[in-house]
């Protein structure tokens, strides 16, 4: 079985957020980690590898610095790492991102593709399902449990108040939730090997099944018009009311702020 | 000269830090309080290869270097001095002498299980009458046919009773050296469960209370002839070489304890308010923190230099002695200041700094007291 896990390097929420003048994130200036949902997806792939035997390839699109997450994945037990990087691919929205990643996946053999549910920076949860559309394969999102049954996968898909058990023939795509599992740690020896391991790097020229109209900032149907930091909360106010009135007051405030 | 860590060591530090924060820190207070050996944590460390970091891959280890190992002990010690010394005694004092002096058969038999953490190791040198004067050994080993027969006892043995494999130093005879009679000392590998090998008192300690410190007792304990480690009569040299490496581990432990206490203190002084402002805003606090941070960094450089020396030099006794001497002093000094900056709360067991202060003291004593380190360093200066 061949599994490809798509991972993204995202800013560590512990560090500050930096923007470029065009409204996109200045990724080079921020602390970076492997996106938590993707890490769960990778752990799911490694468990399938432990249980059924599989070759796990990890794919990412990003700055050259994104090789860090590939090396982390290798140190956890993945077999191969592929970095898709090119200046012309920068500033992509979900359409351009999924078009590019799908073009890279077309160069690979796969039975299963695993992505995270969503990345903690963009928070769209669009790229996984869009990749499956580009590749014309089924998608099961929000996976909380994955099993293999012959040439099919059986997946529990999380809903707000229940879960569905879905079965799909491979090849297919699954988007994983960070609640799915607890990702394993790297090992010290795994790190030493991963740092010396060769990472395959593909640029625009390597992605033959990709249309220039669908890449980068220019190929993105959506553009970020403006980005700003959250407005800071002002100082609290002290109100003296009797208990009855205070309930009404608090409910009123919560409604006014669209919290309830 | 490059003071920046390379990618490998940077990633290894991230790993050790995350593991220590997530898996070790939540249990550190409980381990101290209950004095129970943290077996579940040791098993988890074994799973991720932490018990065989500098061991070559062909012997089931991780194939990393002494610096990676020292960084592991350092990061563990930041949150729990006990967990750090378990790894250090196992790796430096048991695996290292077998890897350095063992025959191919001994290495193949013992190292893979130790490096994978399936088995735990310990080192028995100290006796009630032979501490700093390690030559004063009383435990005897006599060859009887195909077996060595051990009689005597060892005290203050880290990982005692919990460990499966022990390196034991014993007297095997008397030799004449420059007309004077001297004890001939040899090293042995002894397995737990060997008849005649039992455990005595468990020590009740001031600090590192989850670490299992036991007395070992040998009563006509028979071990196979081939379990002698290195040549007969070379035991003292083996013990001294082993301790050189072990001192880097303890220096790393001391460094970690100091760093942990500094981290806790920086957090605390920013939160704690007196006279209407955080105590971090008082110049006394600021100057204390500056002193602490500076000495911690100086200790770190000495520890890392000693680890590098172990990788690249045949003899690294002086580097190891300097690192241990200084890092242990820093640990004691920084943890004492940390308790002071916490005020009354620092003396309460709920705040981790009092545990760190208790844990720090042992780093000035075990694997050679600070006075022994001064002897090693000055001996080299004046030779």
């Amino acid at each position: 079985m061949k599994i490809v896990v798509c991972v993204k390097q995202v800013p560590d929420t512990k560090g500050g957020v930096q923007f470029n003048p065009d409204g996109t994130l200045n990724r080079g200036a921020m602390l970076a980690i492997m996106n938590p949902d993707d890490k769960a997806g990778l752990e799911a792939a490694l468990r399938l590898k432990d249980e059924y035997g599989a070759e796990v390839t990890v794919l990412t699109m990003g700055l050259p610095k994104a090789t860090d997450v590939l090396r982390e994945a290798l140190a956890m037990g993945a077999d191969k790492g592929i970095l898709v990087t090119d200046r012309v691919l920068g500033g992509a929205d979900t359409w351009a991102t999924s078009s590019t990643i799908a073009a890279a996946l077309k160069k690979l053999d796969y039975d299963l593709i695993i992505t995270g549910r969503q990345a903690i920076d963009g928070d769209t949860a669009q790229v996984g399902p869009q990749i499956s559309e580009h590749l014309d394969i089924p998608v099961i999102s929000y996976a909380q449990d994955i099993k293999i049954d012959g040439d099919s996968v059986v997946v529990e898909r999380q809903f707000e108040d229940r879960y569905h058990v879905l079965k799909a023939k491979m090849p297919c795509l699954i988007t994983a939730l960070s609640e799915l599992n607890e990702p394993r740690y790297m090992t010290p020896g795994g790190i030493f090997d991963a740092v010396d391991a060769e990472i395959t790097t593909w640029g625009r020229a390597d992605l033959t099944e990709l249309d220039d109209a669908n890449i980068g900032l220019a190929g993105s149907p959506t553009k970020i018009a403006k980005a700003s930091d959250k407005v800071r909360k002002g100082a609290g106010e002290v109100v003296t009311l009797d208990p009855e009135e205070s309930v009404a007051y608090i409910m009123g405030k919560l409604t006014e702020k669209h919290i309830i | 000269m490059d003071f920046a860590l390379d990618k490998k060591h940077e990633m290894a530090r991230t790993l050790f830090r995350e593991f220590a924060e997530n898996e070790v820190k939540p249990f550190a207070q409980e381990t101290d309080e209950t004095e129970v050996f943290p077996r579940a944590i040791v098993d988890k460390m074994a799973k991720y290869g932490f018990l065989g970091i500098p061991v070559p891959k062909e012997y089931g280890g991780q194939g990393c270097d002494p610096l990676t190992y020292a960084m592991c002990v350092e990061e563990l010690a930041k949150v729990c001095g006990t967990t750090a010394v378990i790894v250090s005694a196992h790796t430096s004092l048991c695996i290292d002498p077998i890897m350095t002096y063992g025959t191919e058969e001994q290495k193949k038999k013992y190292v893979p299980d130790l490096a994978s953490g399936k088995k735990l190791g310990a080192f028995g040198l100290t006796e009630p009458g032979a501490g700093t004067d390690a030559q004063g050994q009383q435990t005897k080993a006599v060859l009887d046919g195909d077996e060595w027969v051990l009689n005597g006892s060892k005290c203050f043995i880290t990982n005692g009773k919990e460990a499966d494999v022990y390196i034991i130093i014993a007297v095997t005879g008397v030799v004449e050296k420059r007309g004077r009679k001297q004890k001939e000392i040899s090293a042995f590998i002894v397995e737990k469960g060997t008849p005649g090998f039992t455990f005595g008192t468990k020590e009740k300690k001031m600090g590192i209370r989850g670490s299992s410190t036991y007395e070992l007792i040998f009563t006509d304990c028979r071990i196979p002839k081939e379990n002698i480690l290195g040549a007969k009569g070379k035991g003292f040299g083996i013990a001294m070489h082993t301790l050189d490496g072990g001192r880097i581990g303890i220096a790393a432990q001391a460094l970690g304890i100091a760093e942990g206490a500094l981290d806790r203190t920086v957090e605390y002084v920013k939160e704690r308010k007196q006279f209407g402002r955080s105590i971090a805003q008082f110049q006394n606090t600021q100057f204390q923190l500056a002193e602490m941070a500076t000495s911690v960094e100086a200790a770190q450089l000495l520890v890392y230099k000693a680890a590098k020396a172990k990788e690249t030099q045949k003899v690294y006794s002086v580097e190891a002695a300097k690192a241990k001497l200084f890092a242990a002093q820093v640990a004691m000094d920084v943890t004492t200041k940390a308790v002071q900056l916490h005020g009354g709360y620092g003396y309460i067991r709920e705040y981790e700094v009092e545990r760190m202060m208790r844990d720090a003291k042992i780093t000035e004593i075990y694997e050679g007291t600070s006075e022994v380190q001064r002897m090693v360093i000055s001996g080299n200066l004046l030779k």
Side-chain angles (χ1 to χ4, degrees):
Chain A
M1 185 165 54
K2 287 183 190 297
I3 307 174
V4 183
V5 184
C6 300
V7 301
K8 185 181 186 184
Q9 188 180 46
V10 294
D12 188 341
T13 45
K14 278 181 269 176
V17 178
Q18 309 267 343
F19 292 106
N20 288 316
D22 65 3
T24 56
L25 286 172
N26 182 358
R27 296 182 185 279
M30 291 183 284
L31 282 174
I33 53 167
M34 190 188 301
N35 181 53
D37 282 349
D38 304 352
K39 205 167 179 175
L42 172 61
E43 174 62 28
L46 294 173
R47 287 186 191 183
L48 293 174
K49 178 183 171 178
D50 292 343
E51 196 174 342
Y52 304 97
E55 185 192 64
V56 177
T57 302
V58 187
L59 177 84
T60 194
M61 166 175 142
L63 298 173
K65 171 182 154 176
T67 45
D68 286 356
V69 287
L70 297 177
R71 296 204 191 280
E72 184 182 349
L74 293 175
M76 286 167 69
D79 300 292
K80 280 186 201 165
I82 301 172
L83 171 70
V84 177
T85 187
D86 205 309
R87 277 175 168 281
V88 296
L89 302 172
D93 69 357
T94 61
W95 168 264
T97 301
S98 60
S99 303
T100 308
I101 291 174
L105 286 163
K106 282 176 186 166
K107 291 167 67 82
L108 298 167
D109 282 336
Y110 54 80
D111 300 295
L112 194 58
I113 297 167
I114 304 179
T115 73
R117 161 190 44 186
Q118 68 194 63
I120 55 170
D121 51 358
D123 261 341
T124 65
Q126 298 297 309
V127 174
Q130 287 180 17
I131 292 171
S132 75
E133 282 295 319
H134 291 307
L135 297 174
D136 200 19
I137 57 172
V139 57
I140 304 173
S141 52
Y142 291 32
Q144 61 173 15
D145 186 43
I146 305 169
K147 286 190 175 69
I148 303 291
D149 180 10
D151 59 355
S152 300
V153 284
V154 181
V155 179
E156 283 180 12
R157 177 175 61 182
Q158 201 184 73
F159 259 57
E160 276 182 18
D161 58 348
R162 75 199 78 174
Y163 62 86
H164 297 164
V165 179
L166 298 171
K167 188 171 181 176
K169 269 232 159 64
M170 292 190 278
C172 74
L173 188 144
I174 293 169
T175 80
L177 296 177
S178 56
E179 298 95 298
L180 174 67
N181 54 43
E182 211 168 289
R184 66 193 65 190
Y185 292 96
M186 302 180 279
T187 60
I191 290 171
F192 272 51
D193 290 342
V195 169
D196 293 335
E198 193 148 334
I199 301 282
T200 307
T201 304
W202 288 339
R204 170 68 190 91
D206 298 296
L207 305 175
T208 44
E209 293 203 42
L210 183 60
D211 192 329
D212 272 332
N214 294 332
I215 60 167
L217 191 58
S220 295
T222 59
K223 300 275 189 297
I224 295 163
K226 192 184 166 216
S228 64
D229 276 338
K230 246 200 278 188
V231 183
R232 283 180 188 279
K233 272 192 247 170
E237 51 174 323
V238 179
V239 187
T240 313
L241 296 165
D242 69 43
E244 212 78 354
E245 286 172 336
S246 50
V247 170
Y249 180 83
I250 292 166
M251 293 302 281
K253 279 282 176 193
L254 292 174
T255 314
E256 182 191 317
K257 305 251 180 203
H258 304 290
I259 293 166
I260 52 171
Chain B
M1 194 157 39
D2 190 0
F3 286 106
L5 288 181
D6 59 20
K7 190 94 219 155
K8 284 177 184 171
H9 293 102
E10 216 179 85
M11 282 178 77
R13 175 178 307 287
T14 306
L15 162 65
F16 300 138
R17 189 168 290 171
E18 282 180 3
F19 186 93
E21 283 289 322
N22 301 336
E23 313 293 338
V24 184
K25 195 178 175 191
F27 305 101
Q29 290 292 88
E30 188 189 323
T31 299
D32 177 67
E33 198 72 38
T34 59
E35 304 194 30
V36 174
F37 185 83
R39 182 52 78 171
I41 291 171
V42 172
D43 288 346
K44 213 165 226 182
M45 291 196 294
K47 183 179 161 194
Y48 289 106
F50 290 15
L51 298 181
I53 293 170
V55 179
K57 285 206 169 114
E58 61 262 41
Y59 294 101
Q62 295 290 311
C64 302
D65 51 13
L67 177 58
T68 310
Y69 158 63
M71 283 170 44
C72 176
V73 176
E74 176 191 355
E75 290 296 330
L76 292 171
K78 266 191 201 175
V79 301
C80 175
T82 285
T83 308
V85 77
I86 294 169
V87 173
S88 184
H90 165 86
T91 312
S92 289
L93 302 185
C94 183
I95 298 182
D96 194 85
I98 301 177
M99 280 308 297
T100 310
Y101 298 99
T103 61
E104 198 49 45
E105 286 74 28
Q106 288 171 335
K107 285 196 244 181
K108 280 201 178 117
K109 183 172 176 195
Y110 291 106
V111 176
D113 280 354
L114 288 165
S116 66
K118 212 167 132 190
K119 288 186 173 166
L120 197 65
F123 176 75
L125 168 69
T126 299
E127 295 182 9
T132 295
D133 176 16
Q135 296 265 17
Q137 297 283 312
Q138 297 294 327
T139 299
K140 287 183 176 56
V142 179
L143 191 61
D144 179 26
D146 281 343
E147 292 172 325
W148 289 98
V149 185
L150 271 65
N151 275 293
S153 69
K154 297 285 168 184
C155 63
F156 302 155
I157 307 309
T158 302
N159 291 349
K161 206 169 185 176
E162 297 292 339
D164 307 281
V165 179
Y166 295 76
I167 304 298
I168 301 296
I169 309 296
V171 180
T172 46
V174 180
V175 283
E176 284 236 346
K177 234 181 188 178
R178 293 185 210 104
R180 284 200 313 185
K181 284 194 172 159
Q182 244 187 17
K183 281 176 186 163
E184 181 200 68
I185 291 168
S186 305
F188 300 91
I189 305 171
V190 185
E191 294 180 46
K192 180 159 83 174
T194 309
F197 175 20
T198 53
F199 301 96
T201 327
K202 180 186 178 182
E203 301 300 341
K204 292 178 185 155
K205 307 187 294 293
M206 173 202 242
I208 55 159
R209 290 169 39 163
S211 152
S212 149
T213 310
Y214 265 91
E215 184 185 9
L216 316 182
I217 301 165
F218 301 96
T219 318
D220 291 328
C221 171
R222 304 181 82 90
I223 59 166
K225 192 180 170 186
E226 64 268 18
N227 274 28
I228 188 163
L229 182 65
K232 183 167 168 274
K234 295 289 181 197
F236 193 74
I238 293 173
M240 291 305 111
H241 182 90
T242 300
L243 286 174
D244 284 344
R247 282 163 192 167
I248 300 171
I250 300 308
Q253 184 201 20
L255 168 64
I257 292 171
E259 289 174 312
L262 176 58
D263 289 349
R264 295 290 89 76
T265 307
V266 168
E267 283 167 19
Y268 182 80
V269 299
K270 287 199 273 191
E271 278 171 17
R272 172 71 172 167
K273 286 199 173 70
Q274 288 289 277
F275 302 102
R277 48 185 175 154
S278 80
I279 62 170
Q281 285 169 291
F282 294 101
Q283 201 170 42
N284 176 60
T285 309
Q286 295 162 0
F287 284 3
Q288 297 284 341
L289 290 176
E291 292 284 343
M292 290 156 82
T294 305
S295 53
V296 161
E297 186 159 348
Q300 189 178 49
L301 292 174
L302 276 180
V303 174
Y304 286 12
K305 190 187 171 201
K308 266 288 172 205
K310 179 161 167 57
E311 186 188 346
T312 55
Q313 294 167 208
K314 210 167 167 315
V315 181
Y316 45 87
S317 315
V318 176
E319 288 86 350
K322 285 178 179 167
K324 182 177 180 290
L325 172 65
F326 189 71
Q329 278 173 353
V330 168
M332 206 54 238
D333 180 45
V334 167
T335 53
T336 307
K337 284 184 169 140
V339 169
Q340 188 69 21
L341 285 168
H342 276 70
Y345 293 106
Y347 200 66
I348 306 294
R349 288 210 297 242
E350 224 169 287
Y351 287 78
E352 293 159 291
V353 287
E354 72 83 34
R355 165 168 56 86
M356 293 169 170
M357 184 177 164
R358 284 187 285 109
D359 286 356
K361 183 61 203 173
I362 190 59
T363 65
E364 291 189 312
I365 299 169
Y366 63 10
E367 299 199 28
T369 59
S370 290
E371 291 71 23
V372 167
Q373 312 312 324
R374 291 188 187 103
M375 282 159 63
V376 171
I377 298 160
S378 59
N380 182 264
L381 279 174
L382 301 171
K383 75 178 172 197

